[in-house]
Every structure is written in C-alpha cells, then in structure tokens.
Amino acid sequence: MTKDSSSSFKRILVHIVLLVLPLVSRSADPDPLQDFCVADLKGSISINGFPCKTTSEVTSNDFFFDGLSREGNTANKFGWNVTAANVLAFPALNTLGLSMNRVDFAPGGVNPPHSHPRSTEAVFVLKGKLLVGFVSTANILYSKVVTPGQMFVIPRGLVHFQRNVGTGKALAITAFNSQLPGSASLPQTLFASKPSIPTDVLTKAFQVDDTVIKHIESQLAS
Ligand SMILES: *[C@@H]1O[C@H](CO)[C@@H](O)[C@H](O)[C@H]1NC(C)=O
C-alpha cells in the first residue's frame, strides 16, 4: 500500500467504526422484569413481564387500587408489615415501570436488611420516625432519621433497612422504578432458603461455629 491509500483506508475504517458504534450501544439486553425466565425454546409466547389483557375488556377499575388504604398487621417478630402495590397486586402497572409499597411499623419494628435487585426506592414517611439506611458497595453506611413529609432514597440493588425509632407506630410509602422490584431479605436469603445454604458455607462466611448458624436458622424458621 502507498502512504496515500493506507491513510484513506484508515479514514474509511474510522467511518465504519463511527457508523457501527451506536448500533452496538443500542443492542444491550432489556432490563429483567422478573427474577428469572428459564427459556422454553418451543414456547409460542416468550416475554419479559406479562401478556396484556384485551383492550376492549379494560375499564377504569383496572387503573384503580385501594390496597394501600389498609394498615398491615405488624404482630410478627419483626414488628413490621409491607403491603405491595406491584404488578402482581395491581396489574395495570404492567410495563409502566413503577410500583409502590405501604410499610407499617409497630414501635421498635424493623424492616430487616434487604435489597431490591431491579429498583431504586424512594422512602416517603407519612407517620412516626424512621431510621432509614443503606450500605454502598464501598461498605459505607448512609443513614438518616426521617420524619413525616421527608424522603430518603435507596439506590438500586443496595442493602438497606428501616427501623421505627419513634414512640408510636410509623408509616411509610415507598416508590419504585420497577413494576416488580423483587426483594431479597438478607436474614431469609442466608438462613431460611429452601433448600438451605450448606452450614459450612455460613460458618466460614460468618466465622462462627455451626451452633450459631443452627440457632439463627431456628429463629427464622416460620
Ligand atoms: C401483613 O398484614 C396483612 C394484612 O393485615 C396480613 O394478612 C399479613 O399476614 C401480614 N404479614 C405479616 C408478615 O405479618
């Protein structure tokens, strides 16, 4: 190749790369809308989410939900209850990319450390006094006591918790940028999965002996 033809070759190459780059960046997978979707290679429908109700059968009632108007029962060992307005409870949210929860707390109640794999969470406190916190992947705790009218935001996927630090009940509404955020509760995930995580994984991970693991497991068994 002459010097001239090699530089025009380079110019053409640069043009091809510039043309193809946007295509590459647009061909990423869509975000998942559920925990998993095992392929049925012979299935006639395959979607990420849920199929749609026939439009002629949709009414105003489909877009209405009053499930968050009732207080959840907090008479459990954590003193907390979550009522979900996600796509499973409120089907109109399908494909809209948002959902909400009502979270009730008894005095001293705790929403145990957990994470939402598919969503950021905005916590809006309506009643009481909540300590809300999350831990970043750099292992830094960011937390704040949040009172009525105030908000705290939990970035997508990070482990977080809430605790009622007031004297009475507390109530928060949480909003998600996912129709089904998913929730992995650390105590349940680690100590109450079915089948359970092998004890020697947990004894090593937590640097304790197996009686400690068995004790935690028995406390969480429902
Ligand atoms: C949350 O409250 C609802 C409604 O009172 C109740 O049916 C449900 O069992 C409660 N969940 C827990 C974990 O206590």
Side-chain angles (χ1 to χ4, degrees), residues 102-126:
R102 170 191 178 122
V103 195
D104 288 287
F105 294 86
V110 167
N111 181 353
H114 64 284
S115 76
H116 303 293
R118 294 181 288 277
S119 185
T120 288
E121 170 177 344
V123 180
F124 180 68
V125 175
L126 285 171

Side-chain angles (χ1 to χ4, degrees), residues 71-73 76 80-82:
E71 185 176 349
N73 180 356
N76 53 60
W80 151 86
N81 195 308
V82 61

Side-chain angles (χ1 to χ4, degrees), residues 153-176:
V153 69
I154 291 141
R156 174 173 168 163
L158 298 183
V159 172
H160 60 284
F161 61 87
Q162 291 125 17
R163 173 171 152 80
N164 181 359
V165 292
T167 50
K169 292 175 177 178
L171 169 62
I173 294 291
T174 52
F176 302 91

